Amino acid sequence: METFYHTLLIFVMGYLYLRITGKKAVAQMHTFDLLYILVLTNIISTPLEVKEIGKTLIYSGLIVILYKVFDRLSLNNKLRWILYETPTILIRNGDIDRKGLKKIHMPMNELLSHLRVLGYTDTQNIALAIMEGTGSISVIPKSEYRPVQPSDIQLKVKKEYIPIPLIMDGQILDHNLKYLQLERAWLLNEVKKMGEKVEGIILATYLENGNLFIDNNEIKDHTSDPYYYKPGKDN
């Protein structure tokens, strides 16, 4: 039982430390962020083998503090270039930068693979391709190959509206109801009018026109409809 409590404590403290650290360290990580995660992981896993839980929590706490200090220092532009790697240019104005590829040890077929994932098949159509410090690749197409924007054809578009979830996985999101200044009674009445039950709703959202949209997790049968073809034997 003692082992269980120690394991639970380590897990909870590790979770809290990562929450304190912030989203950046567990998203697309720089080398510095990755080092922090590896060191923290090693420290908090030590008590599972040796019973030094007190020291472990102290050391891991110090690592979190050091990371936060260095992260704050990285806001200084001069120090940032020391702590983090600089981006590497891979393609400039349609021309492949061989020195850039050699620097990051990336073969040509791997570069082409990354470009295909991003939706680009021809390097000549790319104005700039860069490997960021996080290891991800950013691509800016040439102006004649980028998607047409409404401003290009002087088209006025209305402001984008994001449907607001009110029910997810059978649970009512009261904080969103409060944000919209709506009552639970209104939501339950709308659900009832549609012949649904809250428990069976995978997603219900509040639309721009004030209506409620419900996805009840029922998949419609589109047998023999070529527009709904599914690869495999289960079509």
Side-chain angles (χ1 to χ4, degrees), residues 176-202:
N176 282 346
L177 280 172
K178 183 179 179 181
Y179 175 78
L180 293 168
Q181 298 182 347
L182 295 172
E183 299 292 335
R184 251 189 180 233
W186 171 86
L187 177 60
L188 294 173
N189 186 52
E190 291 295 311
V191 170
K192 185 178 180 180
K193 284 195 298 186
M194 296 183 184
E196 302 288 347
K197 292 183 179 180
V198 172
E199 296 77 14
I201 297 175
I202 190 172

Side-chain angles (χ1 to χ4, degrees), residues 158-178:
K158 65 178 183 178
K159 190 174 182 179
E160 184 69 21
Y161 178 84
I162 302 175
I164 301 174
L166 297 182
I167 301 174
M168 292 180 69
D169 295 321
Q171 295 184 349
I172 296 175
L173 305 182
D174 289 298
H175 60 281
N176 282 346
L177 280 172
K178 183 179 179 181

Side-chain angles (χ1 to χ4, degrees), residues 67-97:
Y67 175 80
K68 295 295 286 184
V69 169
F70 277 93
D71 191 44
R72 182 59 63 89
L73 290 175
S74 71
L75 296 177
N76 182 295
N77 286 330
K78 292 182 179 179
L79 291 175
R80 183 171 182 81
W81 298 118
I82 298 174
L83 294 173
Y84 295 126
E85 297 180 51
T86 57
T88 303
I89 294 177
L90 306 178
I91 299 175
R92 191 197 301 270
N93 196 30
D95 296 321
I96 297 170
D97 191 319

Side-chain angles (χ1 to χ4, degrees), residues 117-161:
V117 169
L118 295 171
Y120 299 95
T121 56
D122 193 340
T123 57
Q124 298 179 77
N125 301 340
I126 296 173
L128 193 66
I130 298 175
M131 174 169 278
E132 306 290 356
T134 59
S136 61
I137 294 178
S138 303
V139 176
I140 300 174
K142 292 181 178 178
S143 56
E144 60 267 33
Y145 294 105
R146 67 176 174 82
V148 176
Q149 304 296 321
S151 58
D152 294 334
I153 54 177
Q154 299 180 346
L155 179 66
K156 291 184 178 180
V157 294
K158 65 178 183 178
K159 190 174 182 179
E160 184 69 21
Y161 178 84

